[in-house]
Amino acid sequence: MFYFEKRKKIPKKLQITIPVVSILIGVLFGAVAILIVGINPYTVYKSLFLNAFGNWYAFSETLTAATPLLLISAGLILVFRMGIWNIGAYGQYIMGAIFSSYFAIFMPADIPKPLMLSMMVVGGMVGGMIWAIIPAILKVFWEVNEVISTLLLNYIALFVLKFLMYGSWKNPTSYGFPLSKPFPDSAQMPIIFEHTRISLGFIFAILAIIAIWFIISKTKFGYEAKIIGNNTTTAKYAGINVGKNIIIAMAISGALAGLAGMVQVSGIIHFLQVKINANYGYTSIIVAWISYLNPIVCFFSSIIFGGIASGGYSIQISMRVSYGIVGLIESIALFSLVGAQIFLNYTLRWKK
Amino acid sequence: MNKTVVLKAEGITKRFPETIANDNINLELHKGEIHALLGENGAGKTTFMNMLYGIYMPSEGSIYINGEKVDIKTPFDAINYGIGMVHQHFMLVESLTVLENIILGLKNQGVIINKTKIKKEIKEISERYSLKVNPEQKIWQLSVGEQQKVEIIKVLFRGANILILDEPTAVLRPQETEPLFEIMRKMKQDNKSMFFITHKLDEVMAVSDTISVLRKGKVVRTILKKDTTKEKLAEMMVGRAVLFDFKKEKKETKEKLLDVSNIEVYSDIGLKIIDNASMDVMKGEILGIAGVSGNGQKELVQTIAGLRKTPKGKIVFDNIDITNKSPRFIAESGINYIPADRIGMGLASDLSCIDNAIMRNYYKKPILSKCIINYKKAKSYTDKIVKMFNIAVADISSPIKLLSGGNMQKLLFARELLEKPKLLIASYPTRGLDLASTEFVRLKMLKIREENMSVILISEDLDELLSISDRIAIIYKGQIMGIVDSDTVNKNQIGLMMAGKRFKDIQ
């Protein structure tokens, strides 16, 4: 009979093996799905890989997709470490996009670019922040479970977006399509590498992940977050204001997700529409977990998942393999990762 | 009383990596008997019961049921042998009905549930033992007392003849206790046998036939109720530890440091747990608090430390009103608290020794400067503590949960002590420590006293209280029975007060 025995110490090696194997399991299941459709998985994966990392342009697209992932998961690392399960990055991202688009759509187009972009950055962060502070306040004062409140707010955000896109924010000349009018040049984020779509947002993402690393490992706030994440009773005993810290952490996390939404509409799409890739909000949860909530690892995981996403788009076009395959790989990877957690604290043994 | 032995434990020993939780326990449970297991927290009552119920397996020894040797590997085995457990924390699904909870997990019900038949059976059981509940009500609609009845019916429905009641009165209001005892007596008449776990002396005297007192994993004595008294039981529970003879000179300070007047505190489940309590602590004094655990000593000191609120009364410390102030404010005023529950409250078990060592000074210079924690200084601070207090630790960067209980306790004690408090509140500071460390901690507390600072010491060890405290406050059901001078009081008097007599009544 197999039985589990508690480990005395978590082996460092496993912290690398488990995420890698989890992704491989996801890839394996993806291969089965591709086989069922009747295509050779090897050629699909080869194409996916080349379209993600094969040349500078492919890699630039990977970095473009990694940008929102890195921004959002940076914030998620902070709240997840405190034991707050913010599933609402999806909605916070949408609110960030809406708030920042307001300036692009309704402000005069001839506002100087730095001013316009600053307003949009601040607007996007505030939008995401509001959407994250609501569940934080509900949790702190009325003990409302944040998993449920953040998840439900995602739908509300999506409906707010749809309401605007089919309503007053719709471009009258868009032939009924739910699109806003295009952003003026002053509202478009500058591209930092020529002939790519890597915008200034990529720099923001790198700064964000460094800032989160710094907050977690160096500051007083990071220390208090650590204690709260371990045990709130201990935190209260140590005199830490748990509620205040939760609200601040959620605000930071929401602001970063909102910024990701802003970067997407201002840097990539250049108008507001219903489809603004808000699913990055869910993928980032996987990215944060697969990095074991470590900011440095998260930098690399974001690039891997960015690659899967951008490669996935390419194979959808070139090989007619549905983009759904990407979601399949990601979700099975997360499923395996969560399932494998038991091996961190326990080891499997065999008895008679 | 019927003399048939229904359950016999022979030489039961349970070892855990660090401790021996049960050491050679021999017990017999007779048919139609209520057998109380009395002991302080950590005496090994629950460990023993968990072995009877198949949650743990004994390291040594055997269990006999109706004279037959049995191996109880899982709770399913236990149920099959007719053993039922009423847990202290109910195992009920709140959103299901009483009936659904009762049949939950039963394997012989088939696919279609015959509700009429089950209802009839439940009704029979309810009537026989006056366990009145409505099978169609949802659990969340029931009071705690009613939920407990459901738990008992659940156990009886599964055909249990041996019931284990794990501190059943801990969650009840005083007026709900007697009806429970009535139910227990009825079950007894029906030849059911019961283990009744508790640390409340009144209840033991009210309902049990036989009493076994456990201390430090051993059965101190098994005795018939008619042959003992509350006072004798109190003494057996607390026991006599190694006596250290500490020399301390009498002090004549009459300057008040802490003044607690008429406070009232409610427990986590809303019961009044401190009832109009008043006490004071002088400068340079060690005030001991004696009492059977669960009588409110934890809540009393947590209120002083700011971790619980009092709707009434006043707490004045060093001429500052600290009533209902934040824990940080109170700590900054000079009160440090060593909680009894070190893993649940005093320490963050997954974090490193360093993170735990700086929990009281991370927000102050020199550890903190401009919002940045200087982990280098934190590390050397931790090294200092480890050296000063002789803490056995391989790597101060690894999680503190890897340390032994005694070493964790030393780190916690050191952290609070080094804040140089004006008042140190120490709950069971020597629990789990070896003799040398125990003496070390006691000497440190005496040193605080010499430096004209004060200590509130909660302990279950009467000898410890008598030898190092100046005065002892005795607490019973949330009330202070009296505050006595430790030089003039004797153990017998303390025992009487722990059992609920007022000081003025025993003189």
Side-chain angles (χ1 to χ4, degrees):
Chain A
M1 194 179 69
F2 280 112
Y3 70 101
F4 284 103
E5 191 180 282
K6 207 164 167 59
R7 288 184 198 274
K8 285 223 166 63
K9 224 175 163 180
I10 297 170
K12 276 250 157 23
K13 215 172 68 187
L14 267 188
Q15 296 191 3
I16 301 160
T17 323
I18 289 179
V20 169
V21 171
S22 300
I23 295 176
L24 288 180
I25 292 174
V27 167
L28 194 73
F29 272 85
V32 174
I34 297 166
L35 264 180
I36 291 170
V37 186
I39 307 172
N40 183 349
Y42 173 74
T43 50
V44 172
Y45 280 135
K46 190 178 160 196
S47 164
L48 190 149
F49 182 82
L50 290 177
N51 279 302
F53 304 102
N55 54 55
W56 165 235
Y57 179 73
F59 188 59
S60 82
E61 279 299 285
T62 293
L63 293 183
T64 306
T67 300
L69 293 175
L70 193 53
L71 274 168
I72 301 168
S73 45
L76 292 183
I77 285 174
L78 181 66
V79 286
F80 286 172
R81 280 190 176 222
M82 284 171 84
I84 308 161
W85 311 119
N86 176 15
I87 312 298
Y90 178 94
Q92 292 144 19
Y93 174 100
I94 291 177
M95 290 320 274
I98 293 175
F99 272 56
S100 57
S101 299
Y102 171 82
F103 298 98
I105 300 169
F106 296 104
M107 287 284 153
D110 53 4
I111 291 180
K113 194 165 188 158
L115 180 63
M116 175 67 105
L117 286 176
S118 308
M119 286 193 299
M120 289 175 72
V121 165
V122 173
M125 290 176 88
V126 168
M129 203 187 278
I130 291 172
W131 227 238
I133 285 178
I134 296 169
I137 286 176
L138 290 174
K139 179 184 173 67
V140 169
F141 293 101
W142 295 284
E143 291 174 30
V144 177
N145 186 319
E146 74 279 10
V147 173
I148 294 163
S149 56
T150 51
L151 189 65
L152 292 180
L153 279 166
N154 287 346
Y155 293 101
I156 301 178
L158 180 63
F159 290 129
V160 169
L161 178 63
K162 282 186 175 170
F163 173 77
L164 294 172
M165 293 332 298
Y166 287 101
S168 54
W169 286 23
K170 189 165 74 179
N171 185 359
T173 63
S174 71
Y175 304 102
F177 286 106
L179 312 171
S180 77
K181 67 176 190 190
F183 290 2
D185 182 60
S186 59
Q188 296 187 9
M189 271 215 167
I191 298 298
I192 52 173
F193 295 108
E194 255 181 51
H195 308 302
T196 72
R197 297 199 294 163
I198 304 173
S199 70
L200 191 59
F202 184 63
I203 307 286
F204 289 169
I206 289 171
L207 292 177
I209 200 75
I210 292 172
I212 292 295
W213 167 80
F214 185 79
I215 288 173
I216 287 170
S217 54
K218 301 283 175 197
T219 66
K220 176 182 157 206
F221 180 76
Y223 175 79
E224 293 187 341
K226 241 191 312 194
I227 308 264
I228 293 169
N230 188 262
N231 182 343
T232 49
T233 311
T234 305
K236 281 177 194 151
Y237 159 82
I240 294 166
N241 188 335
V242 176
K244 190 179 108 186
N245 278 286
I246 288 178
I247 293 172
I248 294 175
M250 277 295 276
I252 294 174
S253 162
L256 288 174
L259 181 61
M262 179 270 165
V263 166
Q264 194 70 10
V265 287
S266 165
I268 311 278
I269 306 177
H270 301 145
F271 48 80
L272 189 63
Q273 60 178 3
V274 173
K275 287 190 175 165
I276 50 170
N277 312 87
N279 268 322
Y280 284 135
Y282 291 127
T283 307
S284 299
I285 297 173
I286 304 173
V287 173
W289 272 118
I290 232 148
S291 320
Y292 281 100
L293 307 183
N294 178 327
I296 297 159
V297 178
C298 181
F299 177 78
F300 296 101
S301 327
S302 297
I303 292 174
I304 291 172
F305 277 80
I308 295 176
S310 77
Y313 281 119
S314 308
I315 56 167
Q316 169 155 288
I317 296 161
S318 62
M319 311 192 71
R320 295 168 180 246
V321 177
S322 159
Y323 183 71
I325 205 77
V326 170
L328 184 74
I329 295 172
E330 285 173 358
S331 44
I332 288 176
L334 179 68
F335 190 78
S336 317
L337 183 82
V338 172
Q341 290 312 300
I342 190 164
F343 293 108
L344 279 184
N345 291 311
Y346 294 88
T347 165
L348 200 58
R349 293 203 186 278
W350 169 258
K351 193 175 143 188
K352 294 182 266 184
Chain B
M1 200 208 308
N2 200 325
K3 274 287 160 199
T4 328
V5 176
V6 290
L7 187 145
K8 187 172 157 201
E10 202 176 71
I12 296 284
T13 298
K14 178 70 189 173
R15 284 189 208 90
F16 288 114
E18 300 249 327
T19 48
I20 301 180
N22 280 169
D23 189 0
N24 193 23
I25 288 192
N26 296 291
L27 281 180
E28 282 183 355
L29 181 67
H30 298 97
K31 198 167 202 169
E33 176 190 48
I34 300 179
H35 191 140
L37 283 186
L38 190 63
E40 286 281 344
N41 290 336
K45 298 170 296 198
T46 306
T47 308
F48 179 66
M49 288 305 139
N50 281 340
M51 281 188 281
L52 294 186
Y53 198 57
I55 293 169
Y56 296 143
M57 292 273 280
S59 316
E60 272 168 40
S62 3
I63 297 166
Y64 298 84
I65 287 172
N66 297 322
E68 197 184 320
K69 193 173 169 200
V70 293
D71 257 350
I72 306 171
K73 290 192 195 108
T74 64
F76 275 114
D77 291 347
I79 292 165
N80 286 337
Y81 290 123
I83 301 175
M85 186 144 175
V86 177
H87 296 269
Q88 189 180 350
H89 304 286
F90 304 144
M91 308 284 179
L92 298 170
V93 183
E94 295 225 321
S95 54
L96 296 186
T97 65
V98 170
L99 185 142
E100 286 163 340
N101 267 284
I102 287 170
I103 57 170
L104 196 65
L106 285 183
K107 290 193 169 163
N108 54 0
Q109 289 299 315
V111 180
I112 295 156
I113 293 165
N114 185 345
K115 280 202 178 180
T116 341
K117 188 172 147 249
I118 295 163
K119 260 191 218 163
K120 214 179 117 209
E121 275 179 62
I122 293 177
K123 205 172 158 223
E124 267 173 32
I125 296 174
S126 324
E127 275 169 8
R128 193 177 325 161
Y129 304 109
S130 38
L131 289 157
K132 244 186 109 188
V133 287
N134 173 2
E136 291 297 340
Q137 261 188 319
K138 307 247 170 168
I139 295 299
W140 60 265
Q141 298 173 309
L142 304 179
S143 74
V144 173
E146 287 170 316
Q147 291 187 20
Q148 189 169 55
K149 285 180 188 164
V150 178
E151 281 281 10
I152 297 174
I153 296 176
K154 206 166 97 181
V155 166
L156 293 172
F157 191 86
R158 286 162 166 71
N161 287 311
I162 300 165
L163 282 86
I164 303 170
L165 305 163
D166 187 6
E167 303 203 19
T169 56
V171 291
L172 297 181
R173 269 185 234 83
Q175 58 269 36
E176 289 173 325
T177 314
E178 191 43 45
L180 172 70
F181 291 168
E182 220 24 67
I183 294 164
M184 287 168 69
R185 289 190 195 107
K186 285 219 168 112
M187 291 197 287
K188 185 172 113 178
Q189 277 167 18
D190 217 33
N191 268 337
K192 309 264 179 204
S193 315
M194 277 159 273
F195 274 121
F196 172 43
I197 305 180
T198 184
H199 48 234
K200 291 182 184 162
L201 298 167
D202 283 331
E203 297 173 354
V204 169
M205 296 308 284
V207 75
S208 57
D209 304 305
T210 315
I211 300 154
S212 290
V213 180
L214 267 80
R215 194 173 69 227
K216 292 177 183 158
K218 290 185 182 165
V219 176
V220 181
R221 214 170 145 192
T222 299
I223 195 167
L224 292 177
K225 180 182 74 180
K226 59 181 165 52
D227 299 336
T228 188
T229 61
K230 247 186 354 181
E231 290 72 28
K232 278 190 201 157
L233 289 173
E235 205 182 305
M236 275 193 260
M237 263 170 90
V238 174
R240 290 171 216 281
V242 187
L243 189 75
F244 293 92
D245 198 11
F246 292 103
K247 287 203 178 66
K248 58 173 199 277
E249 36 192 289
K250 195 91 188 140
K251 281 188 169 179
E252 287 306 325
T253 45
K254 282 284 166 255
E255 209 182 327
K256 250 187 209 180
L257 180 68
L258 177 78
D259 191 6
V260 177
S261 51
N262 308 100
I263 63 164
E264 197 175 282
V265 183
Y266 293 84
S267 74
D268 302 329
I269 51 171
L271 304 179
K272 192 193 273 185
I273 198 119
I274 294 291
D275 187 1
N276 200 24
S278 300
M279 63 172 208
D280 51 15
V281 181
M282 300 295 162
K283 272 192 183 153
E285 175 187 58
I286 298 179
L287 178 81
I289 295 184
V292 176
S293 62
N295 272 289
Q297 45 272 70
K298 179 178 92 185
E299 288 79 5
L300 176 69
V301 294
Q302 288 189 347
T303 312
I304 297 171
L307 295 163
R308 284 171 191 272
K309 305 266 178 238
T310 168
K312 266 172 54 180
K314 205 170 180 188
I315 305 171
V316 177
F317 174 72
D318 211 14
N319 299 321
I320 312 167
D321 185 353
I322 58 161
T323 325
N324 296 335
K325 288 278 193 302
S326 74
R328 175 70 51 89
F329 179 89
I330 291 168
E332 287 290 302
S333 317
I335 298 181
N336 275 72
Y337 170 43
I338 299 168
D341 181 6
R342 41 194 180 226
I343 298 204
M345 179 179 267
L347 300 168
S349 53
D350 288 337
L351 303 186
S352 70
C353 297
I354 302 175
D355 286 333
N356 276 288
I358 62 169
M359 210 182 276
R360 285 290 178 205
N361 57 6
Y362 72 92
Y363 57 92
K364 288 186 280 205
K365 280 196 171 178
I367 304 284
L368 190 79
S369 64
K370 295 195 186 89
C371 270
I372 310 283
I373 291 181
N374 186 335
Y375 278 102
K376 226 181 199 168
K377 283 194 176 128
K379 190 169 181 290
S380 61
Y381 178 77
T382 313
D383 275 329
K384 194 179 90 183
I385 291 184
V386 166
K387 223 173 262 163
M388 261 172 77
F389 285 77
N390 225 346
I391 300 168
V393 49
D395 176 9
I396 58 171
S397 307
S398 56
I400 194 157
K401 66 180 174 196
L402 299 175
L403 265 60
S404 75
N407 281 304
M408 277 192 229
Q409 179 69 1
K410 279 203 228 171
L411 188 126
L412 175 56
F413 186 79
R415 181 184 78 200
E416 301 303 313
L417 195 67
L418 288 175
E419 287 302 296
K420 301 222 173 304
K422 291 179 202 155
L423 171 66
L424 180 74
I425 301 172
S427 296
Y428 312 103
T430 57
R431 187 194 272 169
L433 295 190
D434 56 29
L435 287 181
S437 311
T438 301
E439 191 172 19
F440 179 81
V441 166
R442 288 178 182 166
L443 285 171
K444 281 280 178 201
M445 288 191 284
L446 287 170
K447 190 146 174 285
I448 295 177
R449 177 182 177 272
E450 260 167 48
E451 288 162 5
N452 213 28
M453 299 188 290
S454 313
V455 178
I456 293 178
L457 170 66
I458 299 181
S459 175
E460 56 208 3
D461 184 341
L462 278 189
D463 291 307
E464 176 172 87
L465 287 173
L466 282 166
S467 65
I468 74 165
S469 39
D470 295 278
R471 292 185 302 154
I472 299 173
I474 295 96
I475 190 166
Y476 174 76
K477 288 193 177 162
Q479 297 182 338
I480 307 282
M481 291 292 112
I483 302 181
V484 293
D485 195 315
S486 61
D487 290 339
T488 56
V489 75
N490 63 42
K491 263 195 201 168
N492 186 33
Q493 289 171 317
I494 294 181
L496 282 170
M497 287 195 275
M498 280 168 70
K501 294 245 165 50
R502 296 223 172 242
F503 183 55
K504 56 181 195 299
D505 300 332
I506 56 167
Q507 275 177 315

